[in-house]
Amino acid sequence: MISESQNIKNIRAASRLMVRELGFMNQSLAATDYPPSAVHALLEVETHGSLTAAQLVQILELEKSSVSRMLAKLIEAGELEENTSADDARAKLLSLTGKGKKTVQSINAYADQRVAAALDKLDPLTQETVSQSLSSYSCALKSSRENTEAKFESNFKIVTGYHAGMIGRITEMHGGYYAREHNFGHFFEAKVAAGLADFSARLDKPCNQIWLAMVNERIVGSVAIDGEDLGSHEAHLRWFILDDGCRGSGLGRKLIGEAMRFCDEQSFSSLKLWTFNKLTAARRLYESFGFELAKEWEGDQWGSSITEQQFTRKSSCNC
């Protein structure tokens, strides 16, 4: 019998392979010009007949502002139309246009062909096993996430501003994670500590803020918005980190969501962050909030030679 740890390893490896093979690492999906989130939105609208933007936010589990921007692009492209609900004049229902129906037809045909081609490599009994097992596993994933989020929501709180021990604890989380996962050393840890010390002295400025996730009065996550260091009314997202036991809980999305609301309230011209190309989970989270890759280069600002990246989120303010 395969051990539990080997099962986990095998499933994780298979999941990564499926993500790559199905095209979710690409800028567009299912032989369209649209990113995965837009393709999923079109498929959900087709499945339900019509949906509100708020319902799509819940189904796709994306930030409201990201969904709003995506829907505006799909409406502009003629894929979706928005009409007033007959039951509630305040609600706007999204439905597929004629063009949208043809696009979804093409998406379904492409996806069906990919699945059929893969199943053709398996015998009938294995095909049925794969179908049933994937359905069971996907439902279990959803249930696990909901239970984890409910548990964390009842135990954690998010606070703002300086808290005693903050600099050391955030530095500890950064130093431990990046040394273990990416071989960063004392140069990186010292840089984190020095930057936090400088920033903490500037938290009295209204354009600067830090959010700390606390469980039983212990810091388990952080993110900060520095509204000063870039100038030109641009903001800098810094020190986003989660304790090892909190990854995958939805806590990171809540922290980033708080920071995005602050940025929108401050009406910064743009928001930037610096990272590197191996942090794929963080990148997906950033992109779900509207960040886009602006540039990429080989650098060593964290003490090791890596492919550094800079992401930018434009202001959502239309004033």
Side-chain angles (χ1 to χ4, degrees), residues 63-70 72-73 233 235 256-272 288-291 312-319:
E63 178 68 13
K64 181 180 178 181
S65 59
S66 300
V67 172
S68 295
R69 284 190 291 270
M70 173 188 66
K73 291 178 181 178
H233 202 52
I256 296 291
E258 292 291 334
M260 296 305 99
R261 277 188 284 276
F262 174 80
C263 289
D264 290 341
E265 290 168 1
Q266 292 287 320
S267 298
F268 292 113
S269 60
S270 67
L271 175 60
K272 295 183 177 180
S288 75
F289 280 93
F291 283 92
T312 299
R313 177 183 186 259
K314 298 296 185 183
S315 171
S316 61
C317 177
N318 294 318
C319 52

Side-chain angles (χ1 to χ4, degrees), residues 119 122-137:
L119 289 177
L122 306 172
D123 62 80
L125 180 59
T126 306
Q127 290 179 17
E128 185 176 348
T129 301
V130 167
S131 174
Q132 293 175 350
S133 298
L134 278 176
S135 296
S136 298
Y137 180 59

Side-chain angles (χ1 to χ4, degrees), residues 57 64 118 143 154 165 176 214 236 239 245 272 277 295 318-319:
V57 168
K64 181 180 178 181
S143 176
S154 63
M214 313 279 287
H236 182 183
W239 304 300
K272 295 183 177 180
N277 66 334
K295 56 183 177 180
N318 294 318
C319 52

Side-chain angles (χ1 to χ4, degrees), residues 139-159:
C139 290
L141 270 179
K142 184 175 185 291
S143 176
S144 175
R145 174 185 57 76
E146 290 172 345
N147 289 342
T148 301
E149 288 182 358
K151 177 182 175 183
F152 269 93
E153 284 177 1
S154 63
N155 292 328
F156 81 80
K157 61 181 179 180
I158 295 178
V159 299

Side-chain angles (χ1 to χ4, degrees), residues 75-94:
I75 291 171
E76 184 180 357
E79 304 283 5
L80 294 176
E81 60 184 2
E82 197 174 45
N83 297 295
T84 302
S85 169
D87 299 323
D88 184 353
R90 296 170 299 177
K92 300 291 186 180
L93 291 176
L94 296 156

Side-chain angles (χ1 to χ4, degrees), residues 53-292:
Q55 289 171 325
L56 268 176
V57 168
Q58 291 183 329
I59 292 170
L60 299 177
E61 295 178 42
L62 295 176
E63 178 68 13
K64 181 180 178 181
S65 59
S66 300
V67 172
S68 295
R69 284 190 291 270
M70 173 188 66
L71 292 177
K73 291 178 181 178
L74 289 174
I75 291 171
E76 184 180 357
E79 304 283 5
L80 294 176
E81 60 184 2
E82 197 174 45
N83 297 295
T84 302
S85 169
D87 299 323
D88 184 353
R90 296 170 299 177
K92 300 291 186 180
L93 291 176
L94 296 156
S95 57
L96 294 173
T97 63
K99 178 183 178 181
K101 291 176 182 177
K102 290 180 180 178
T103 299
V104 169
Q105 244 181 352
S106 298
I107 291 170
N108 285 330
Y110 176 85
D112 288 349
Q113 187 275 326
R114 290 295 308 277
V115 173
L119 289 177
D120 194 48
K121 304 291 184 182
L122 306 172
D123 62 80
L125 180 59
T126 306
Q127 290 179 17
E128 185 176 348
T129 301
V130 167
S131 174
Q132 293 175 350
S133 298
L134 278 176
S135 296
S136 298
Y137 180 59
S138 62
C139 290
L141 270 179
K142 184 175 185 291
S143 176
S144 175
R145 174 185 57 76
E146 290 172 345
N147 289 342
T148 301
E149 288 182 358
K151 177 182 175 183
F152 269 93
E153 284 177 1
S154 63
N155 292 328
F156 81 80
K157 61 181 179 180
I158 295 178
V159 299
T160 57
Y162 173 79
H163 281 249
M166 175 185 85
I167 297 171
R169 176 61 179 143
I170 296 174
T171 301
E172 176 192 2
M173 287 191 290
H174 276 82
Y177 175 78
Y178 286 98
R180 182 180 70 248
E181 299 293 331
H182 304 289
N183 298 314
F184 285 11
H186 64 87
F187 177 90
F188 170 74
E189 191 168 338
K191 189 167 184 176
V192 171
L196 275 166
D198 170 74
F199 178 73
S200 297
R202 298 188 280 111
L203 274 171
D204 59 326
K205 306 288 183 62
C207 61
N208 300 326
Q209 188 56 278
I210 190 164
W211 293 262
L212 305 172
M214 313 279 287
V215 173
N216 299 324
E217 302 307 314
R218 175 177 171 81
I219 297 173
V220 296
S222 69
V223 68
I225 296 295
D226 190 334
E228 288 185 283
D229 68 330
L230 299 182
S232 302
H233 202 52
E234 291 183 316
H236 182 183
L237 188 147
R238 311 180 75 178
W239 304 300
F240 175 52
I241 188 75
L242 292 176
D243 186 74
D244 290 343
C246 297
R247 293 192 177 89
S249 67
L251 184 54
R253 177 170 293 279
K254 293 182 185 299
L255 281 170
I256 296 291
E258 292 291 334
M260 296 305 99
R261 277 188 284 276
F262 174 80
C263 289
D264 290 341
E265 290 168 1
Q266 292 287 320
S267 298
F268 292 113
S269 60
S270 67
L271 175 60
K272 295 183 177 180
L273 67 87
W274 280 259
T275 182
F276 60 99
N277 66 334
K278 294 184 183 295
L279 304 180
T280 53
R283 174 174 180 166
R284 287 195 294 272
L285 179 59
Y286 296 143
E287 289 178 333
S288 75
F289 280 93
F291 283 92
E292 296 181 352

